[in-house]
């Protein structure tokens, strides 16, 4: 029988930190950990995964492979994750021998929209009216007041995947059939003004800090633009979003970095949309506009280092760089004009090391910083024009 895991011990630089998942979030976590003096290990079966390519150790197995998990546990002093669909069971297995954050139980809730909605209700955080559909009987019992709505698979949905808009009962029935009659959540469609998100980091001692509230623009279900500066949202909405995000994290007894996404309705009301148990695309600006990035917060929370409230030093806008930009002028992939972009003041380019550009694939992001909101918007719009990104 394993001895109890000491989760309170401070893990100092020089130790090896592990991450389940080899994508760009794992890559940026590895960069942050290495800058602080840690070694890193990645478990991902893709030999060319962005995180695996820059890490000291790369365990090339599936997430639930017992041998791979054992190897990762032997290498590491603590483990985190960068992908919300990592099996919670793998995290639970690792937790029998070393500190793991976030916990498998928290990740399991984030992976199931029905459980996620129930948690929001439990925390007293408003969300869109919804119904769970797991059977023909539940489908037939759906209240007409939920239409028009968005039918979402309860599991394995992200970046707009696994979602169908339905206006009538006939479309609802057809939509459930199209999604394979799997467990789904139907959410009432609400009049949206815009979207925002909050990233919090919580330690094992209960300390909780947050990044500023991020105003987000999505296109085709994928984040396109994040704007973070004073006045990006009314002060009352900022306060409500931070309070709600912290309530969600505390209710989960969460340890690690958590993103809580919100809809802002036409009447100014905030309703929570979903959570991501990891660093988030909308927090990438923190690499260049904050004195502590979301990835450093991830390192600090998993190693029991002090969590200090991050401070913003620049107005900032983040532009998501999708593979479509490589095909702006040709059917053959061609690198965008990075030299023109980097000639603009305050532009910080982050590419993820992905071998092939594909349409709708996240290839990188561009952080723009400036002294004022007006300056950062002007530069961001220039950069968007050069890249072929629609104005915002």
């Amino acid at each position: 029988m394993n001895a109890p895991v000491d989760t309170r011990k401070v893990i100092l630089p020089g130790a090896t930190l592990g991450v389940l998942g080899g994508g760009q979030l794992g890559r940026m976590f590895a960069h942050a950990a290495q800058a602080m003096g840690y070694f890193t290990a990645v478990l991902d079966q893709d030999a060319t995964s962005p995180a695996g390519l820059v890490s000291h150790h790369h365990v090339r197995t599936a997430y639930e492979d017992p041998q791979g998990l054992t190897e990762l546990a032997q290498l590491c002093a603590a483990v985190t994750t960068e992908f919300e669909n990592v099996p919670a069971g793998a995290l639970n297995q690792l937790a029998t021998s070393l500190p793991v954050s976030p916990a498998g139980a928290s990740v399991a809730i984030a992976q199931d929209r029905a459980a996620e909605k129930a948690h929001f209700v439990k925390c007293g955080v408003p969300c869109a009216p919804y119904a769970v559909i797991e059977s023909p009987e539940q489908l037939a019992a759906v209240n007409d007041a939920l239409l028009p709505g968005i039918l979402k698979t309860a599991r394995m949905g992200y970046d707009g995947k696994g979602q169908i808009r339905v206006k009538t009962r006939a479309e609802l029935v057809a939509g459930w059939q199209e999604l394979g009659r799997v467990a789904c959540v139907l959410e009432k469609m609400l009049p949206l003004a815009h979207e925002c998100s909050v990233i919090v980091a919580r330690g094992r001692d209960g300390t909780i800090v947050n990044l500023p509230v991020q105003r987000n623009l999505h296109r085709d279900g994928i984040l396109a633009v994040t704007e973070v500066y004073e006045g990006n949202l009314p002060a009352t909405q900022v306060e409500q979003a931070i309070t709600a995000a912290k309530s969600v994290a505390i209710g989960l007894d969460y340890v690690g970095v958590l993103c809580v996404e919100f809809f802002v309705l036409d009447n100014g009301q905030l309703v929570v949309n979903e959570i991501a148990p990891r660093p988030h695309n909308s927090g990438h600006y923190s690499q260049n506009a904050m004195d502590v990035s979301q990835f450093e917060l991830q390192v600090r929370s998993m190693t029991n280092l002090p969590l200090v409230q991050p401070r913003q030093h620049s107005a900032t806008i983040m532009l998501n760089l999708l593979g479509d930009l490589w095909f702006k002028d040709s059917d053959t992939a061609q690198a965008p004009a990075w030299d023109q972009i980097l000639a603009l003041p305050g532009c910080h380019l982050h590419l993820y090391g992905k071998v092939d550009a594909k349409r709708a694939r996240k290839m990188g992001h561009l952080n723009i910083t400036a002294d004022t909101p007006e300056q950062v918007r002007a530069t961001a719009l220039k950069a968007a024009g050069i890249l072929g990104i629609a104005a915002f």
Side-chain angles (χ1 to χ4, degrees), residues 135-194:
S135 67
E137 292 76 20
Q138 288 176 314
L139 179 67
V142 167
N143 193 316
D144 287 340
L146 293 178
L147 295 170
I150 304 176
L151 186 65
K152 303 179 179 180
T153 56
R155 299 181 61 82
M156 302 300 285
Y158 63 96
D159 285 345
K161 298 178 176 65
Q163 302 184 14
I164 298 176
R165 296 192 176 203
V166 292
K167 298 179 181 177
T168 65
R169 297 198 73 88
E171 289 183 0
L172 174 61
V173 172
W176 193 52
Q177 294 284 349
E178 184 178 338
L179 292 174
R181 295 168 60 94
V182 299
C184 288
V185 170
L186 174 67
E187 296 177 9
K188 181 177 177 62
M189 198 174 296
L190 300 173
L192 303 185
H194 48 263

Side-chain angles (χ1 to χ4, degrees), residues 93-144:
Q93 181 179 331
L94 287 167
T96 63
S97 57
L98 77 169
V100 173
S101 60
S106 296
V107 173
I109 289 174
Q111 290 173 344
D112 187 313
R113 292 188 190 277
E116 187 179 56
K117 298 288 187 190
H119 179 70
F120 298 153
V121 172
K122 179 181 175 182
C123 292
V125 176
C127 60
Y130 72 98
V132 177
I133 300 173
E134 298 177 315
S135 67
E137 292 76 20
Q138 288 176 314
L139 179 67
V142 167
N143 193 316
D144 287 340

Side-chain angles (χ1 to χ4, degrees), residues 52-301:
L53 290 174
V54 302
S55 220
H56 298 92
H57 307 278
H58 186 179
V59 181
R60 297 175 186 170
T61 69
Y63 296 134
E64 293 183 290
D65 180 82
Q67 185 174 343
L69 292 172
T70 297
E71 183 179 350
L72 188 69
Q74 290 173 343
L75 285 168
C76 298
V79 168
T80 186
T81 180
E82 63 97 50
F83 181 49
E84 64 262 51
N85 287 324
V86 164
L91 297 173
N92 292 336
Q93 181 179 331
L94 287 167
T96 63
S97 57
L98 77 169
V100 173
S101 60
S106 296
V107 173
I109 289 174
Q111 290 173 344
D112 187 313
R113 292 188 190 277
E116 187 179 56
K117 298 288 187 190
H119 179 70
F120 298 153
V121 172
K122 179 181 175 182
C123 292
V125 176
C127 60
Y130 72 98
V132 177
I133 300 173
E134 298 177 315
S135 67
E137 292 76 20
Q138 288 176 314
L139 179 67
V142 167
N143 193 316
D144 287 340
L146 293 178
L147 295 170
I150 304 176
L151 186 65
K152 303 179 179 180
T153 56
R155 299 181 61 82
M156 302 300 285
Y158 63 96
D159 285 345
K161 298 178 176 65
Q163 302 184 14
I164 298 176
R165 296 192 176 203
V166 292
K167 298 179 181 177
T168 65
R169 297 198 73 88
E171 289 183 0
L172 174 61
V173 172
W176 193 52
Q177 294 284 349
E178 184 178 338
L179 292 174
R181 295 168 60 94
V182 299
C184 288
V185 170
L186 174 67
E187 296 177 9
K188 181 177 177 62
M189 198 174 296
L190 300 173
L192 303 185
H194 48 263
E195 300 177 52
C196 67
S197 59
V198 181
I199 289 169
V200 299
R202 187 170 183 270
R204 291 185 175 86
D205 63 355
T207 300
I208 187 166
V209 299
N210 63 278
L211 294 183
V213 178
Q214 298 126 195
R215 178 169 175 153
N216 301 322
L217 170 66
H218 288 78
R219 290 171 173 156
D220 298 324
I222 301 175
L223 181 65
V225 182
T226 293
E227 300 179 73
V228 188
Y229 42 74
E230 189 172 355
N232 65 342
L233 290 168
T236 54
Q237 291 179 3
V238 168
E239 183 179 351
Q240 290 171 10
I242 293 172
T243 299
K246 289 183 176 180
S247 177
V248 169
I250 292 168
L252 288 169
D253 195 19
Y254 193 86
V255 176
V257 171
L258 176 75
C259 181
V260 184
E261 297 182 72
F262 298 88
F263 295 135
V264 182
L265 307 187
D266 285 344
N267 63 6
Q269 180 187 358
L270 265 71
V271 295
V272 65
N273 175 29
E274 62 185 10
I275 58 176
R278 51 169 175 77
H280 191 261
N281 203 161
S282 65
H284 289 344
Y285 70 92
S286 63
Q287 294 170 304
N288 299 108
M290 307 293 300
D291 62 354
V292 181
S293 75
Q294 63 172 342
F295 301 103
E296 182 173 338
L297 291 175
Q298 187 179 22
V299 174
R300 286 174 177 245
S301 60

Side-chain angles (χ1 to χ4, degrees), residues 313-315 369-376:
H313 53 72
S314 301
T369 57
D371 291 335
T372 68
E374 294 77 16
Q375 289 171 342
V376 80

